[in-house]
PDB file of all heavy atoms in Angstrom:
ATOM      1  N   ALA B 164     -34.674  -2.834  -9.292  1.00 95.00           N
ATOM      2  CA  ALA B 164     -34.928  -1.380  -9.412  1.00 95.00           C
ATOM      3  C   ALA B 164     -33.747  -0.561  -8.939  1.00 95.00           C
ATOM      4  O   ALA B 164     -33.408   0.543  -9.373  1.00 95.00           O
ATOM      5  CB  ALA B 164     -36.149  -1.046  -8.411  1.00 95.00           C
ATOM      6  N   GLU B 186      -1.968   4.588   3.415  1.00 86.00           N
ATOM      7  CA  GLU B 186      -3.032   4.848   4.421  1.00 86.00           C
ATOM      8  C   GLU B 186      -3.232   3.865   5.269  1.00 86.00           C
ATOM      9  O   GLU B 186      -3.661   4.038   6.495  1.00 86.00           O
ATOM     10  CB  GLU B 186      -4.344   5.380   3.696  1.00 86.00           C
ATOM     11  CG  GLU B 186      -4.100   6.421   2.674  1.00 86.00           C
ATOM     12  CD  GLU B 186      -3.627   7.611   3.293  1.00 86.00           C
ATOM     13  OE1 GLU B 186      -3.934   7.891   4.477  1.00 86.00           O
ATOM     14  OE2 GLU B 186      -2.921   8.593   2.582  1.00 86.00           O
ATOM     15  N   THR B 203       5.727  -5.425   8.489  1.00 94.00           N
ATOM     16  CA  THR B 203       4.503  -5.695   9.184  1.00 94.00           C
ATOM     17  C   THR B 203       3.297  -4.899   8.487  1.00 94.00           C
ATOM     18  O   THR B 203       2.124  -5.535   8.363  1.00 94.00           O
ATOM     19  CB  THR B 203       4.626  -5.198  10.585  1.00 94.00           C
ATOM     20  OG1 THR B 203       5.552  -6.084  11.255  1.00 94.00           O
ATOM     21  CG2 THR B 203       3.228  -5.419  11.359  1.00 94.00           C
ATOM     22  N   GLY B 324       0.533 -18.750 -15.756  1.00 80.00           N
ATOM     23  CA  GLY B 324       0.806 -19.106 -16.994  1.00 80.00           C
ATOM     24  C   GLY B 324       1.958 -20.227 -17.146  1.00 80.00           C
ATOM     25  O   GLY B 324       2.172 -20.848 -18.226  1.00 80.00           O
ATOM     26  N   ARG B 347      -0.165 -32.801  11.469  1.00 89.00           N
ATOM     27  CA  ARG B 347      -0.353 -32.486  10.000  1.00 89.00           C
ATOM     28  C   ARG B 347       0.671 -31.327   9.652  1.00 89.00           C
ATOM     29  O   ARG B 347       1.230 -31.491   8.476  1.00 89.00           O
ATOM     30  CB  ARG B 347      -1.738 -31.955   9.856  1.00 89.00           C
ATOM     31  CG  ARG B 347      -2.209 -31.750   8.530  1.00 89.00           C
ATOM     32  CD  ARG B 347      -3.725 -31.428   8.311  1.00 89.00           C
ATOM     33  NE  ARG B 347      -4.159 -31.466   6.873  1.00 89.00           N
ATOM     34  CZ  ARG B 347      -4.505 -32.577   6.149  1.00 89.00           C
ATOM     35  NH1 ARG B 347      -4.402 -33.802   6.758  1.00 89.00           N
ATOM     36  NH2 ARG B 347      -4.897 -32.482   5.014  1.00 89.00           N
ATOM     37  N   PRO B 468      24.860 -15.654  -5.573  1.00 35.00           N
ATOM     38  CA  PRO B 468      25.272 -15.416  -7.018  1.00 35.00           C
ATOM     39  C   PRO B 468      24.217 -14.661  -7.818  1.00 35.00           C
ATOM     40  O   PRO B 468      24.543 -14.000  -8.709  1.00 35.00           O
ATOM     41  CB  PRO B 468      25.289 -16.946  -7.556  1.00 35.00           C
ATOM     42  CG  PRO B 468      25.529 -17.724  -6.287  1.00 35.00           C
ATOM     43  CD  PRO B 468      24.765 -17.060  -5.185  1.00 35.00           C
ATOM     44  N   THR B 553       0.330  21.338 -11.583  1.00 94.00           N
ATOM     45  CA  THR B 553       0.051  19.955 -11.779  1.00 94.00           C
ATOM     46  C   THR B 553       1.261  19.148 -11.495  1.00 94.00           C
ATOM     47  O   THR B 553       1.174  18.170 -10.867  1.00 94.00           O
ATOM     48  CB  THR B 553      -0.368  19.723 -13.221  1.00 94.00           C
ATOM     49  OG1 THR B 553      -1.588  20.536 -13.465  1.00 94.00           O
ATOM     50  CG2 THR B 553      -0.638  18.274 -13.538  1.00 94.00           C
ATOM     51  N   GLY B 579       9.100  25.452  -1.461  1.00 69.00           N
ATOM     52  CA  GLY B 579       8.191  26.166  -2.250  1.00 69.00           C
ATOM     53  C   GLY B 579       6.755  26.385  -1.843  1.00 69.00           C
ATOM     54  O   GLY B 579       6.010  27.245  -2.210  1.00 69.00           O
TER      55      GLY B 579
END
Side-chain angles (χ1 to χ4, degrees):
E186 302 303 332
T203 296
R347 190 173 186 83
T553 299

